[in-house]
Amino acid sequence: MQANLQRISLSDTPQIWVVQLPHIRQHRSALKTLLSAEELQRCLRYQHLDDRDRFLGGRVLAKLVASHILNIPVSEIAVALESTGKPFLRCVSEDNIHLPFISIAHAGETIVFAINEHTPIGVDVELLRTDVDIDDLMQLAFDAIEIQAVNDFDAHCRLRKFYEFWTLKEAFLKATGEGLLTEPNTIVFHIDAKSHARLIKASDEKAKSLWNFYFVQFDESYVIAMAAKNYKIDWCEGPKLIDAARLIQAHCR
């Protein structure tokens, strides 16, 4: 993962930043000061400390990365929610400033934040959990074509393939803002042998040509998928993960 703190232009490519929960736990007290009163209340409503840290990590990652990239004081960056629950960046002192599109996801010990200047973006991360009944989940969320594609693999590869389809659906629904408003089995993907993904069915037929999908290399225990509108890159390159640990450490000094 890239880890330098040079300022990055968003004009060419979306950025995906990642941080592990231990970094959030280590700097928890300092990072909490970045939350608004409303965010702090929401954070405290989570019963488990790890869930609080995941929420905290997602919010501070959004604010610190946006501040770093846009060269805006972090105090000027707010994370607001659309009516669908989709997060977006807002400038505290000036509502008319255009800020980039964002997406936040977390699973296990990992928090992921995606940011894109011109068009919507969605990201999802999932831990490959073996204690989940993927057959039940596929009946609820997958099309028959996707179920067959998953079942064509042996047990180990089958689990990863399931999570590839799952993260694609989550990333796409986050990007569009539809979330729970859309039945996930009405969105159908094809994933080829090289894990190149494309949308083959959606309620909006135009979506198939407007959206691009990528898997992001990280840890073998996780799958990360990104959905980006009107954005194409070389499959071999793919979006790069940027380690946010140093950014958080720099803020907390």
Side-chain angles (χ1 to χ4, degrees), residues 64-80:
L64 289 175
V65 170
S67 172
H68 172 69
I69 290 176
L70 303 172
N71 200 20
I72 298 174
V74 69
S75 59
E76 283 292 302
I77 303 289
V79 179

Side-chain angles (χ1 to χ4, degrees), residues 21-22 24-25 28 43 46-57 106 108-109 111:
L21 271 188
I24 304 300
R25 297 183 186 113
R28 184 185 295 129
C43 182
Y46 290 99
Q47 293 186 353
H48 300 291
L49 187 57
D50 279 353
D51 290 332
R52 293 181 183 182
D53 287 339
R54 291 184 186 103
F55 175 84
L56 172 65
H106 51 72
E109 294 279 291
I111 302 166

Side-chain angles (χ1 to χ4, degrees), residues 88-188:
F88 66 94
L89 294 177
R90 183 176 64 82
C91 183
V92 172
S93 62
E94 180 55 69
D95 286 336
N96 293 325
I97 294 178
H98 167 73
L99 295 180
F101 295 90
I102 64 169
S103 184
I104 303 169
H106 51 72
E109 294 279 291
T110 301
I111 302 166
V112 178
F113 170 72
I115 184 167
N116 190 30
E117 184 171 2
H118 298 298
T119 59
I121 189 171
V123 70
D124 189 52
V125 56
E126 295 293 342
L127 177 66
L128 272 65
R129 294 177 52 184
T130 58
D131 61 339
V132 173
D133 190 332
I134 66 172
D135 292 295
D136 282 351
L137 289 176
M138 286 195 294
Q139 291 300 322
L140 293 173
F142 284 19
D143 180 85
I145 296 173
E146 296 168 322
I147 294 174
Q148 183 60 53
V150 172
N151 288 336
D152 283 342
F153 290 86
D154 61 28
H156 175 73
C157 294
R158 184 172 179 264
L159 182 67
R160 174 166 288 276
K161 191 60 62 175
F162 163 80
Y163 278 109
E164 287 183 356
F165 280 109
W166 185 275
T167 53
L168 285 172
K169 291 171 184 281
E170 288 279 356
F172 180 59
L173 292 175
K174 287 180 178 182
T176 61
E178 296 176 42
L180 297 176
L181 300 177
T182 298
E183 293 291 338
N185 59 5
T186 63
I187 304 163
V188 184

Side-chain angles (χ1 to χ4, degrees), residues 10-65:
L10 287 176
S11 58
D12 297 323
T13 179
Q15 298 295 332
I16 303 180
W17 295 68
V18 62
V19 69
Q20 298 294 99
L21 271 188
H23 295 290
I24 304 300
R25 297 183 186 113
Q26 180 182 355
H27 302 289
R28 184 185 295 129
S29 297
L31 295 176
K32 276 186 177 180
T33 64
L34 294 176
L35 298 183
S36 67
E38 181 181 351
E39 287 172 328
L40 184 58
Q41 288 182 351
R42 183 177 172 186
C43 182
L44 293 175
R45 283 200 291 268
Y46 290 99
Q47 293 186 353
H48 300 291
L49 187 57
D50 279 353
D51 290 332
R52 293 181 183 182
D53 287 339
R54 291 184 186 103
F55 175 84
L56 172 65
R59 285 303 189 271
V60 301
L61 198 55
K63 295 179 183 183
L64 289 175
V65 170

